[in-house]
Amino acid sequence: NRGVVSRGWRPGWRRPGRGSPKDRLPPAPRKRALVSVGVAERAVHETPTLTHETFKALKPGLSAYADDVEKSAQGIQELLDVAKQDIPFDFWKATPLVLKATAGLRLLPGEKAQKLLQKVKEVFKASPFLVGDDCVSIMNGTDEGVSAWITINFLTGSLKTPGGSSVGMLDLGGGSTQIAFLPRVEGTLQASPPGYLTALRMFNRTYKLYSYSYLGLGLMSARLAILGGVEGQPAKDGKELVSPCLSPSFKGEWEHAEVTYRVSGQKAVASLHELCAARVSEVLQNRVHRTEEVKHVDFYAFSYYYDLAAGVG
């Protein structure tokens, strides 16, 4: 999904035109317009206060326009219009605009991803907001997890108490899934594989987080793998994907990443559920690291976790 978030980080700013001449000057930037994913600043010394937030998301995500880049501009412009409605006119030029793409673009061939980013940058530069040279980029999986961990612990107030308890986060996207938490057990730090730990300096404190992104294990990408398909590639010769994880009577089409697959359920046998479980285990085998400490950490789960839960009531 693509989304825009407009945030006011400090209380007490005044709209220009009120108070003394000094008050009428736009202060240092206190709002941020973030497109797609929030940005985590790696060296922040004061705990900010969230005073206001506006959120809007669009479907499909940016990666859906990989073969028709021009169409992506309309959605980006729609999100910028939301930001313009929410942010006072006099603050536009002082409001940084940033897009951080996630797994959808990480899964695309490099050339296609770069063309999409270039189009977004063109739309950004035509906007009235503050746009830097690095305003558009692809966020790596670790930073995506760290950003989500900062967000959830900021919103729950955990970051305001140094040394206090924190919560972990689970983020299930379409192309990848992330986990991030703050280990308290030395054994977790010692046993974590390379690439699973990252240091973060924030609010005059250093956090050593367990953060990892499993590319290809997002809801849609994992579903495709379980069905027997290959990411970004149509089934060979239009072959139908037959799966024990679908109802035996099911027959239809399923679209993922601009590719349409013909899918059907496997004929009923006594051990159909066991065949499905075996297929899922095969896809996950040796791809997910397990750590015992997560059993004792409170986690917040969002994105598709929420969507699926809300869908079943």
Side-chain angles (χ1 to χ4, degrees), residues 34-298:
L34 313 179
V35 179
S36 184
V37 177
V39 180
E41 295 186 11
R42 289 302 183 97
V44 181
H45 301 293
E46 298 179 10
T47 305
T49 299
L50 181 64
T51 60
H52 173 72
E53 178 180 68
T54 297
F55 174 80
K56 181 177 177 63
L58 296 179
K59 292 184 179 181
L62 189 60
S63 60
Y65 300 97
D67 295 318
D68 195 350
V69 174
E70 293 300 320
K71 282 188 176 180
S72 67
Q74 181 179 349
I76 296 298
Q77 186 58 56
E78 184 177 339
L79 295 175
L80 293 183
D81 289 342
V82 173
K84 288 166 69 175
Q85 293 172 11
D86 192 64
I87 300 172
F89 172 81
D90 297 273
F91 287 84
W92 288 358
K93 291 183 178 180
T95 300
L97 190 60
V98 177
L99 178 139
K100 295 289 185 181
T102 53
L105 264 69
R106 291 201 296 269
L107 287 168
L108 288 177
E111 184 178 350
K112 288 188 175 183
Q114 288 305 314
K115 286 183 177 179
L116 279 170
L117 295 180
Q118 183 58 39
K119 173 53 64 175
V120 173
K121 194 169 186 177
E122 290 175 10
V123 178
F124 275 17
K125 285 188 173 295
S127 78
F129 296 109
L130 179 62
V131 177
D133 291 335
D134 59 348
C135 62
V136 176
S137 62
I138 298 177
M139 179 183 286
N140 67 44
T142 297
D143 285 345
E144 187 176 353
V146 169
S147 295
W149 182 87
I150 292 173
T151 299
I152 197 65
N153 282 279
F154 171 75
L155 293 175
T156 57
S158 301
L159 298 180
K160 293 184 177 181
T161 307
S165 62
S166 63
V167 297
M169 81 85 203
L170 298 171
D171 181 3
L172 180 61
S176 67
T177 184
Q178 284 75 234
I179 179 174
F181 70 96
L182 181 64
R184 302 288 185 181
V185 178
E186 184 63 27
T188 301
L189 300 175
Q190 297 296 332
S192 296
Y196 279 70
L197 299 177
T198 184
L200 168 69
R201 180 70 180 173
M202 183 175 61
F203 308 145
N204 292 319
R205 184 185 174 195
T206 298
Y207 298 85
K208 196 162 189 179
L209 299 179
Y210 179 107
S211 177
Y212 197 77
S213 177
Y214 293 96
L215 188 62
L217 292 185
L219 180 65
M220 300 305 173
S221 292
R223 180 178 295 171
L224 176 62
I226 291 169
L227 289 172
V230 179
E231 192 75 43
Q233 298 180 20
K236 190 174 182 180
D237 300 324
K239 182 181 178 181
E240 188 174 66
L241 302 180
V242 181
S243 173
C245 297
L246 296 174
S247 169
S249 61
F250 181 83
K251 197 176 188 69
E253 294 183 338
W254 179 63
E255 183 177 317
H256 169 60
E258 294 291 285
V259 177
T260 300
Y261 302 89
R262 295 192 304 119
V263 297
S264 65
Q266 185 172 321
K267 291 183 179 180
V269 294
S271 59
L272 203 57
H273 66 285
E274 294 178 359
L275 291 175
C276 177
R279 176 57 185 159
V280 173
S281 295
E282 182 183 341
V283 170
L284 297 178
Q285 187 175 16
N286 298 324
R287 295 192 63 184
V288 178
H289 175 255
R290 296 183 180 183
T291 174
E292 290 297 312
E293 188 176 349
V294 296
K295 298 177 181 178
H296 310 290
V297 177
D298 290 331

